[in-house]
Amino acid sequence: MKKILKNKYDIQQMRLSGKITADVLTMIKNHIYPDISTQDINNICHHYITKIKKAVPACLGYKSFPKSICISINDIVCHGIPDKNILLKKGDIVNIDVAVIKNNYYTDASKMFFVGKVNTKKKLLCKITRKSLYQALKCIKPGIKINNIGKKIQKYVESQKLHVVKEYCGHGIGNNFHEPPHILHYYNKYDCLKMQAGMIFTVEPMVNTRSQYVECMKDGWTVKTRDGGCSAQYEHTVLVNQKGCELLTHQKNEKIPKIFINN
């Protein structure tokens, strides 16, 4: 039985793992430019995780996933597989999803990157998706029903005339990549579990421009919008503490606090 509440040692180890995950996303920014292949980006991240940080890329080999990170461009919602034949182009928006294992503890985070000059509509999609995550962080604290996370995200995203993907959700994380509880990014009145100090889980809303509908490609991994619209995602691994929450994957120069006091 996977434990939902983490002890002090677990939390200490996950802070180490989370810092590595965050550092990968900070490092890779300088390698996002036109004509680089997604395989080259994967290789840079793999080297950084394994050789510089002495950690393990959690995606590599997970349920036979063939690469060390996921890279999802424009209409790809999630789980894009790096490929030497896929090159970034000016105007692309790119999600890089990184998960690492350090001392047998997992953490997971993702963010969007712009390739050269990006149009206003794509920029706005990314801004709204990031803000939906940030707003949800403000409701995380002990005693609050976990469905408030999805309620906050869905309300804000739909107020901006965009669409939350419902097929994929956040998840508990620790000694395993995916643990209880599920973290929905839309409101479910039956999801009445209350948050407790010591819970660690990911919040990772995926937001589409045209509709919520997605489909999985023949490779069994790559998920695209069904209508060709663009998609964006931001993700953090979050610890519930006594007064709010702590972002274990908080990144350098991120314009939010690492610790939220949610009175």
Side-chain angles (χ1 to χ4, degrees):
M1 178 68 180
K2 301 181 182 75
K3 61 182 180 180
I4 289 182
L5 300 184
K6 306 300 191 280
N7 61 36
K8 288 182 179 180
Y9 178 80
D10 298 328
I11 292 167
Q12 179 187 39
Q13 294 301 315
M14 292 190 71
R15 285 191 179 115
L16 295 175
S17 178
K19 178 68 165 55
I20 295 170
T21 298
D23 286 348
V24 178
L25 289 170
T26 300
M27 174 277 300
I28 202 60
K29 180 179 179 180
N30 291 333
H31 299 278
I32 305 301
Y33 49 78
D35 298 326
I36 189 172
S37 75
T38 56
Q39 178 62 45
D40 285 342
I41 296 170
N42 177 86
N43 292 346
I44 292 165
C45 289
H46 180 87
H47 179 268
Y48 186 80
I49 293 167
T50 59
K51 303 301 183 183
I52 307 301
K53 295 297 187 177
K54 310 298 182 185
V56 177
C59 291
L60 185 60
Y62 179 76
K63 295 186 176 180
S64 298
F65 189 80
K67 303 295 180 176
S68 296
I69 60 172
C70 300
I71 305 179
S72 303
I73 306 170
N74 296 330
D75 65 335
I76 299 178
V77 179
C78 60
H79 305 155
I81 301 173
D83 189 308
K84 66 181 181 180
N85 296 314
I86 299 174
L87 307 182
L88 299 188
K89 302 187 299 294
K90 291 179 181 178
D92 285 344
I93 55 172
V94 183
N95 178 271
I96 295 184
D97 192 345
V98 176
V100 307
I101 313 166
K102 181 69 173 178
N103 300 333
N104 295 317
Y105 285 86
Y106 291 72
T107 51
D108 190 4
S110 80
K111 66 180 293 185
M112 303 300 296
F113 297 87
F114 298 161
V115 184
K117 188 175 181 180
V118 170
N119 69 39
T120 301
K121 189 173 183 180
K122 287 181 175 179
K123 284 183 178 178
L124 186 60
L125 167 65
C126 294
K127 182 179 179 180
I128 289 167
T129 306
R130 182 176 59 201
K131 188 173 179 180
S132 75
L133 168 59
Y134 289 176
Q135 287 202 353
L137 297 173
K138 296 176 183 178
C139 77
I140 296 177
K141 64 179 181 179
I144 301 297
K145 289 180 181 178
I146 214 158
N147 62 12
N148 278 278
I149 294 172
K151 185 177 183 180
K152 283 271 191 181
I153 291 169
Q154 183 178 21
K155 182 178 180 180
Y156 176 67
V157 168
E158 292 182 354
S159 77
Q160 302 299 309
K161 311 301 182 187
L162 295 174
H163 310 274
V164 176
V165 174
K166 295 182 177 178
E167 282 84 352
Y168 300 92
C169 63
H171 51 88
I173 190 167
N175 289 126
N176 302 276
F177 202 162
H178 296 90
E179 301 179 353
H182 294 306
I183 307 296
L184 303 182
H185 302 121
Y186 60 94
Y187 181 63
N188 177 359
K189 67 180 181 180
Y190 300 108
D191 191 7
C192 295
L193 178 69
K194 289 185 178 180
M195 289 180 264
Q196 301 177 61
M199 282 184 173
I200 298 179
F201 49 72
T202 69
V203 184
E204 47 183 298
M206 304 172 196
V207 177
N208 296 348
T209 54
R210 295 182 185 171
S211 75
Q212 71 182 55
Y213 302 111
V214 302
E215 58 184 344
C216 189
M217 300 296 99
K218 290 181 179 179
D219 62 25
W221 284 104
T222 306
V223 177
K224 290 189 175 184
T225 59
R226 193 179 297 174
D227 50 29
C230 284
S231 187
Q233 181 190 23
Y234 286 83
E235 174 184 14
H236 271 301
T237 298
V238 182
L239 163 67
V240 183
N241 60 27
Q242 294 294 341
K243 295 184 178 180
C245 66
E246 175 183 343
L247 305 186
L248 300 181
T249 48
H250 188 271
Q251 292 139 46
K252 186 179 180 181
N253 298 324
E254 198 160 3
K255 295 179 180 178
I256 52 169
K258 182 176 183 179
I259 296 176
F260 281 72
I261 306 299
N262 296 329
N263 295 324

